[in-house]
Amino acid sequence: MRSFEDMPMVLRVSWGVVWLLLWPVLAPAQPTRALDSLQARYPFLNTRANRIENAQIGLQRFYERLSQLPLPPTTLPAHRVSIVHLGDSHLQADELTDEVRQQLQRRHGNAGRGLVFPYRLARTNGSSAYFTRLLGGTWRTRRLTGRPDTARWAGVSGLSVATNDSGAGFALRIALLRRPTGQFNQLTLLRQPGPTAFDWQVRTASGRLLGTIPGTAPGVAQPLPLDSLRSYVELRTTRATAAQTRALLYGLLLDNGQPGLIYHSMGVNGAAVRHYNQTPRYFEQLPALDPDLFIVSLGTNDAYSAGFDTAIFRRQLDTLVTRLRRRCPRADVLLTGPPDSFRARRYRNPDLARLRAVLRAYAQEHDLAYWDVSEPQGGYGSMRTWLAHGLAAPDLVHFSTAGYRLQGHLLYLAIQDGFASFTR
């Protein structure tokens, strides 16, 4: 039988995906044993470095909330723990974050899918755990990576879509083969209200009306309880009065009414810390997610080009964290260092080490938790090794599905290791 290293690249990638999908079933329950298995499977990893620094202080409130969830998950008490994970293109496809989500929910209970966005309307990539399909209308997109005058229209998803067409809409479907527990019985629409805002109708595939969300209803977040657990709905704008001429949508929250953990993920291709700072509606809408923990995964784009300035980055980081804590003062903050990557596919990037030093120092100064994925990844220049094992993309910046899920599993194990120490 061929060794893993002797396999063709396509077989390495396929086996890596299959193995990581089977990992939740085969993995040992204890983080240490699971890391030992990962180390044996991928000898180039440095799993001994897979730990969250300052976890007992920086994640104290989060771990306390997590400890209140019943194990194994039961229907009572109706207790929720909410995580908000924000980042860049490493998160937009939701492969890394979906691995963390699945593992944490399997361990601590599944309270729902959380934040979703109709990426199809924005003509960009999104999660493969759910799909959206255009049902009509012309839609405009705003991203937090745009100019400041347009980025201000992006919301908590990091994007927004808008239309002036009554009857415009989209279908939302959960990929149940991948996420059999992804059904929801409450849908919360995140949209801009006002006297000129369209109403929204939510219907079944057969056209039966499940409910209407008035455009004039106050508040950005409007929940709509559904009659049963569902995996498919259709949403359309509708005009009740002549004054209604527009719709601005920031995203949706999917809830299943159960206790447990809910994991919201938002990533925007090309995003850096400064882009979040120029998007006021992002921070304004965060309380709707009721976070117990923020995970901040940024830095790849901040230090991608030559000329990285540590002083400027620190000021931008301080602005971001200050605004997160001001809006949601009960939430802990976990900063994560970016993975190893190359510039222009050829040159190792030494500025990433300087950026990580800023993140680590800032976390220590402000009693925040810090996790550096580059150390368990294998350190400086390890991206070429990941590429050789089918875990990275040819651009030496992004990762394959298996690579992102491996990172997500490392983050999950680091969180669980800190939690085990907290509860001992």
Side-chain angles (χ1 to χ4, degrees):
M1 181 178 178
R2 286 183 173 183
S3 68
F4 185 81
E5 289 73 15
D6 293 333
M7 290 182 183
M9 178 65 72
V10 66
L11 293 180
R12 294 188 199 178
V13 175
S14 299
W15 171 245
V17 173
V18 170
W19 185 81
L20 282 168
L21 290 176
L22 290 175
W23 177 258
V25 178
L26 302 176
Q30 294 299 320
T32 300
R33 292 174 58 199
L35 286 173
D36 289 343
S37 296
L38 279 178
Q39 186 71 70
R41 180 66 193 157
Y42 297 115
F44 53 85
L45 296 179
N46 178 17
T47 58
R48 289 178 299 178
N50 190 55
R51 63 183 184 87
I52 295 176
E53 300 174 22
N54 206 31
Q56 299 310 305
I57 297 176
L59 300 183
Q60 183 175 8
R61 285 176 292 182
F62 167 68
Y63 281 151
E64 178 62 35
R65 292 277 294 164
L66 201 62
S67 69
Q68 296 169 14
L69 290 173
L71 279 176
T74 61
T75 57
L76 292 173
H79 175 60
R80 301 289 185 85
V81 173
S82 172
I83 296 176
V84 173
H85 197 159
L86 59 136
D88 47 31
S89 58
H90 292 310
L91 269 62
Q92 182 167 319
D94 191 41
E95 293 171 331
L96 185 160
T97 43
D98 193 53
E99 177 68 17
V100 187
R101 178 186 297 110
Q102 289 189 55
Q103 296 295 344
L104 286 174
Q105 289 185 337
R106 182 175 288 107
R107 182 70 175 170
H108 299 284
N110 177 6
R113 179 59 179 76
L115 180 67
V116 300
F117 186 81
Y119 290 100
R120 182 70 178 270
L121 274 63
R123 296 178 292 279
T124 187
N125 65 301
S127 174
S128 61
Y130 66 90
F131 304 98
T132 52
R133 177 171 57 88
L134 178 66
L135 295 179
T138 300
W139 297 86
R140 303 178 301 279
T141 306
R142 295 290 181 265
R143 295 174 172 81
L144 58 76
T145 52
R147 301 189 314 271
D149 61 323
T150 60
R152 67 189 182 91
W153 296 103
V156 73
S157 300
L159 304 94
S160 68
V161 288
T163 184
N164 295 107
D165 299 331
S166 178
F170 62 95
L172 169 68
R173 177 171 63 87
I174 301 297
L176 289 181
L177 288 178
R178 181 172 176 185
R179 293 305 308 268
T181 58
Q183 293 179 303
F184 53 94
N185 57 15
Q186 178 167 287
L187 179 155
T188 298
L189 202 65
L190 303 173
R191 90 286 184 255
Q192 189 63 35
T196 63
F198 289 133
D199 295 349
W200 284 86
Q201 290 185 342
V202 182
R203 296 181 179 272
T204 66
S206 63
R208 182 166 66 87
L209 182 65
L210 294 172
T212 300
I213 298 173
T216 55
V220 168
Q222 285 297 319
L224 178 67
L226 305 178
D227 56 356
S228 62
L229 285 171
R230 297 193 170 273
S231 60
Y232 179 94
V233 289
E234 295 181 357
L235 298 95
R236 289 186 184 271
T237 62
T238 183
R239 178 184 287 119
T241 69
Q244 293 175 303
T245 58
R246 63 179 180 83
L248 179 59
L249 180 68
Y250 302 115
L252 304 91
L253 305 178
L254 305 182
D255 191 310
N256 63 18
Q258 297 298 310
L261 185 137
I262 196 162
Y263 196 109
H264 309 283
S265 172
M266 66 282 293
V268 180
N269 295 338
V273 170
R274 67 182 183 278
H275 293 126
Y276 281 88
N277 290 340
Q278 71 176 11
T279 312
R281 295 187 184 200
Y282 173 79
F283 298 97
E284 292 169 6
Q285 294 169 19
L286 280 174
L289 307 183
D290 193 24
D292 296 293
L293 173 65
F294 287 111
I295 304 178
V296 181
S297 295
L298 292 163
T300 295
N301 297 302
D302 299 83
Y304 181 77
S305 301
F308 172 69
D309 189 313
T310 56
I312 292 176
F313 176 75
R314 191 192 184 286
R315 290 196 296 270
Q316 293 169 342
L317 176 66
D318 184 61
T319 298
L320 175 68
V321 173
T322 299
R323 290 178 179 176
L324 293 175
R325 300 180 92 175
R326 183 180 299 137
R327 282 290 176 178
C328 303
R330 295 183 301 171
D332 287 333
V333 178
L334 168 60
L335 301 179
T336 76
D340 183 62
S341 63
F342 279 54
R343 287 172 171 158
R345 305 188 181 204
R346 296 170 58 190
Y347 308 105
R348 293 190 294 183
N349 186 352
D351 284 336
L352 288 174
R354 299 169 60 217
L355 182 145
R356 294 187 197 100
V358 174
L359 288 170
R360 177 178 275 112
Y362 187 89
Q364 291 174 346
E365 293 168 13
H366 293 84
D367 289 334
L368 308 181
Y370 176 71
W371 179 68
D372 187 353
V373 66
S374 71
E375 293 188 16
Q377 183 186 358
Y380 189 50
S382 60
M383 200 62 170
R384 288 200 181 278
T385 305
W386 280 55
L387 177 64
H389 286 78
L391 299 172
D395 65 3
L396 294 177
V397 174
H398 299 94
F399 296 82
S400 66
T401 296
Y404 278 123
R405 290 199 170 273
L406 177 54
Q407 288 182 64
H409 203 81
L410 287 168
L411 176 55
Y412 159 72
L413 290 174
I415 292 172
Q416 281 299 114
D417 181 62
F419 180 63
S421 297
F422 175 83
T423 55
R424 275 200 289 268

